[in-house]
PDB file of all heavy atoms in Angstrom:
ATOM      1  N   ARG A  45     -13.413 -37.922  -9.139  1.00 95.00           N
ATOM      2  CA  ARG A  45     -14.367 -38.902  -9.361  1.00 95.00           C
ATOM      3  C   ARG A  45     -14.118 -40.075  -8.264  1.00 95.00           C
ATOM      4  O   ARG A  45     -15.136 -40.602  -7.760  1.00 95.00           O
ATOM      5  CB  ARG A  45     -14.021 -39.575 -10.734  1.00 95.00           C
ATOM      6  CG  ARG A  45     -14.953 -40.776 -11.005  1.00 95.00           C
ATOM      7  CD  ARG A  45     -16.469 -40.418 -11.118  1.00 95.00           C
ATOM      8  NE  ARG A  45     -17.176 -41.612 -11.371  1.00 95.00           N
ATOM      9  CZ  ARG A  45     -18.265 -41.848 -10.694  1.00 95.00           C
ATOM     10  NH1 ARG A  45     -18.818 -41.060  -9.783  1.00 95.00           N
ATOM     11  NH2 ARG A  45     -18.904 -43.070 -11.041  1.00 95.00           N
ATOM     12  N   GLU A  47     -13.243 -39.627  -5.223  1.00 93.00           N
ATOM     13  CA  GLU A  47     -13.892 -39.043  -4.030  1.00 93.00           C
ATOM     14  C   GLU A  47     -15.405 -39.041  -4.116  1.00 93.00           C
ATOM     15  O   GLU A  47     -16.142 -39.364  -3.171  1.00 93.00           O
ATOM     16  CB  GLU A  47     -13.465 -37.675  -3.698  1.00 93.00           C
ATOM     17  CG  GLU A  47     -11.994 -37.555  -3.275  1.00 93.00           C
ATOM     18  CD  GLU A  47     -11.767 -38.212  -1.949  1.00 93.00           C
ATOM     19  OE1 GLU A  47     -12.565 -38.215  -1.061  1.00 93.00           O
ATOM     20  OE2 GLU A  47     -10.622 -38.879  -1.952  1.00 93.00           O
ATOM     21  N   GLU A  48     -16.004 -38.929  -5.383  1.00 94.00           N
ATOM     22  CA  GLU A  48     -17.332 -38.963  -5.588  1.00 94.00           C
ATOM     23  C   GLU A  48     -17.852 -40.387  -5.273  1.00 94.00           C
ATOM     24  O   GLU A  48     -18.971 -40.642  -4.654  1.00 94.00           O
ATOM     25  CB  GLU A  48     -17.751 -38.546  -6.953  1.00 94.00           C
ATOM     26  CG  GLU A  48     -17.768 -37.044  -7.303  1.00 94.00           C
ATOM     27  CD  GLU A  48     -18.035 -36.808  -8.749  1.00 94.00           C
ATOM     28  OE1 GLU A  48     -18.460 -37.691  -9.495  1.00 94.00           O
ATOM     29  OE2 GLU A  48     -17.875 -35.600  -9.175  1.00 94.00           O
ATOM     30  N   ILE A  49     -17.085 -41.413  -5.744  1.00 93.00           N
ATOM     31  CA  ILE A  49     -17.404 -42.768  -5.592  1.00 93.00           C
ATOM     32  C   ILE A  49     -17.425 -43.125  -4.055  1.00 93.00           C
ATOM     33  O   ILE A  49     -18.245 -43.708  -3.531  1.00 93.00           O
ATOM     34  CB  ILE A  49     -16.474 -43.656  -6.264  1.00 93.00           C
ATOM     35  CG1 ILE A  49     -16.653 -43.520  -7.829  1.00 93.00           C
ATOM     36  CG2 ILE A  49     -16.611 -45.148  -5.967  1.00 93.00           C
ATOM     37  CD1 ILE A  49     -15.513 -44.206  -8.674  1.00 93.00           C
ATOM     38  N   TYR A  50     -16.318 -42.649  -3.331  1.00 91.00           N
ATOM     39  CA  TYR A  50     -16.208 -42.814  -1.923  1.00 91.00           C
ATOM     40  C   TYR A  50     -17.498 -42.195  -1.192  1.00 91.00           C
ATOM     41  O   TYR A  50     -18.077 -42.814  -0.251  1.00 91.00           O
ATOM     42  CB  TYR A  50     -14.933 -42.212  -1.454  1.00 91.00           C
ATOM     43  CG  TYR A  50     -14.779 -42.402   0.067  1.00 91.00           C
ATOM     44  CD1 TYR A  50     -14.461 -43.640   0.668  1.00 91.00           C
ATOM     45  CD2 TYR A  50     -15.036 -41.241   0.933  1.00 91.00           C
ATOM     46  CE1 TYR A  50     -14.211 -43.755   1.958  1.00 91.00           C
ATOM     47  CE2 TYR A  50     -14.901 -41.534   2.360  1.00 91.00           C
ATOM     48  CZ  TYR A  50     -14.428 -42.710   2.806  1.00 91.00           C
ATOM     49  OH  TYR A  50     -14.297 -42.834   4.125  1.00 91.00           O
ATOM     50  N   GLN A  51     -17.788 -40.940  -1.479  1.00 92.00           N
ATOM     51  CA  GLN A  51     -18.998 -40.397  -0.844  1.00 92.00           C
ATOM     52  C   GLN A  51     -20.246 -40.996  -1.162  1.00 92.00           C
ATOM     53  O   GLN A  51     -21.189 -41.151  -0.251  1.00 92.00           O
ATOM     54  CB  GLN A  51     -19.099 -38.852  -1.310  1.00 92.00           C
ATOM     55  CG  GLN A  51     -17.897 -37.985  -0.692  1.00 92.00           C
ATOM     56  CD  GLN A  51     -17.884 -37.996   0.739  1.00 92.00           C
ATOM     57  OE1 GLN A  51     -18.839 -37.902   1.531  1.00 92.00           O
ATOM     58  NE2 GLN A  51     -16.554 -37.954   1.291  1.00 92.00           N
ATOM     59  N   ALA A  52     -20.399 -41.525  -2.315  1.00 91.00           N
ATOM     60  CA  ALA A  52     -21.806 -42.203  -2.636  1.00 91.00           C
ATOM     61  C   ALA A  52     -21.947 -43.486  -1.901  1.00 91.00           C
ATOM     62  O   ALA A  52     -23.143 -43.853  -1.692  1.00 91.00           O
ATOM     63  CB  ALA A  52     -21.914 -42.481  -4.267  1.00 91.00           C
ATOM     64  N   TYR A  53     -20.809 -44.194  -1.570  1.00 87.00           N
ATOM     65  CA  TYR A  53     -21.010 -45.538  -0.978  1.00 87.00           C
ATOM     66  C   TYR A  53     -20.391 -45.487   0.372  1.00 87.00           C
ATOM     67  O   TYR A  53     -19.969 -46.700   1.023  1.00 87.00           O
ATOM     68  CB  TYR A  53     -20.290 -46.538  -1.839  1.00 87.00           C
ATOM     69  CG  TYR A  53     -20.927 -46.724  -3.135  1.00 87.00           C
ATOM     70  CD1 TYR A  53     -20.286 -46.050  -4.396  1.00 87.00           C
ATOM     71  CD2 TYR A  53     -22.239 -47.272  -3.321  1.00 87.00           C
ATOM     72  CE1 TYR A  53     -20.832 -46.228  -5.567  1.00 87.00           C
ATOM     73  CE2 TYR A  53     -22.779 -47.378  -4.609  1.00 87.00           C
ATOM     74  CZ  TYR A  53     -21.986 -46.938  -5.710  1.00 87.00           C
ATOM     75  OH  TYR A  53     -22.603 -46.928  -6.891  1.00 87.00           O
ATOM     76  N   HIS A  54     -20.335 -44.393   1.110  1.00 81.00           N
ATOM     77  CA  HIS A  54     -19.708 -44.347   2.310  1.00 81.00           C
ATOM     78  C   HIS A  54     -20.735 -44.829   3.498  1.00 81.00           C
ATOM     79  O   HIS A  54     -21.252 -44.005   4.273  1.00 81.00           O
ATOM     80  CB  HIS A  54     -19.278 -42.817   2.700  1.00 81.00           C
ATOM     81  CG  HIS A  54     -18.469 -42.724   4.039  1.00 81.00           C
ATOM     82  ND1 HIS A  54     -17.195 -43.210   4.096  1.00 81.00           N
ATOM     83  CD2 HIS A  54     -18.754 -42.135   5.100  1.00 81.00           C
ATOM     84  CE1 HIS A  54     -16.818 -43.025   5.363  1.00 81.00           C
ATOM     85  NE2 HIS A  54     -17.661 -42.268   5.917  1.00 81.00           N
ATOM     86  N   THR A  55     -20.770 -46.088   3.598  1.00 82.00           N
ATOM     87  CA  THR A  55     -21.684 -46.702   4.606  1.00 82.00           C
ATOM     88  C   THR A  55     -20.966 -47.917   5.113  1.00 82.00           C
ATOM     89  O   THR A  55     -20.054 -48.509   4.310  1.00 82.00           O
ATOM     90  CB  THR A  55     -23.022 -47.024   4.071  1.00 82.00           C
ATOM     91  OG1 THR A  55     -22.808 -48.086   2.975  1.00 82.00           O
ATOM     92  CG2 THR A  55     -23.822 -45.904   3.598  1.00 82.00           C
ATOM     93  N   PRO A  59     -20.771 -51.494   0.701  1.00 86.00           N
ATOM     94  CA  PRO A  59     -21.489 -52.325  -0.464  1.00 86.00           C
ATOM     95  C   PRO A  59     -20.609 -52.824  -1.481  1.00 86.00           C
ATOM     96  O   PRO A  59     -19.498 -52.116  -1.842  1.00 86.00           O
ATOM     97  CB  PRO A  59     -22.571 -51.454  -0.955  1.00 86.00           C
ATOM     98  CG  PRO A  59     -22.041 -50.046  -0.621  1.00 86.00           C
ATOM     99  CD  PRO A  59     -21.168 -50.154   0.494  1.00 86.00           C
ATOM    100  N   TYR A  62     -19.646 -50.457  -4.418  1.00 90.00           N
ATOM    101  CA  TYR A  62     -18.474 -49.566  -4.207  1.00 90.00           C
ATOM    102  C   TYR A  62     -17.121 -50.198  -4.774  1.00 90.00           C
ATOM    103  O   TYR A  62     -16.436 -49.455  -5.500  1.00 90.00           O
ATOM    104  CB  TYR A  62     -18.206 -49.201  -2.775  1.00 90.00           C
ATOM    105  CG  TYR A  62     -16.895 -48.512  -2.452  1.00 90.00           C
ATOM    106  CD1 TYR A  62     -16.650 -47.235  -2.858  1.00 90.00           C
ATOM    107  CD2 TYR A  62     -15.785 -49.284  -2.046  1.00 90.00           C
ATOM    108  CE1 TYR A  62     -15.449 -46.517  -2.658  1.00 90.00           C
ATOM    109  CE2 TYR A  62     -14.525 -48.614  -1.834  1.00 90.00           C
ATOM    110  CZ  TYR A  62     -14.474 -47.338  -2.120  1.00 90.00           C
ATOM    111  OH  TYR A  62     -13.204 -46.658  -1.980  1.00 90.00           O
TER     112      TYR A  62
END
Side-chain angles (χ1 to χ4, degrees):
R45 178 66 181 133
E47 290 297 319
E48 285 175 11
I49 293 169
Y50 178 77
Q51 292 299 324
Y53 299 105
H54 186 69
T55 60
Y62 167 76

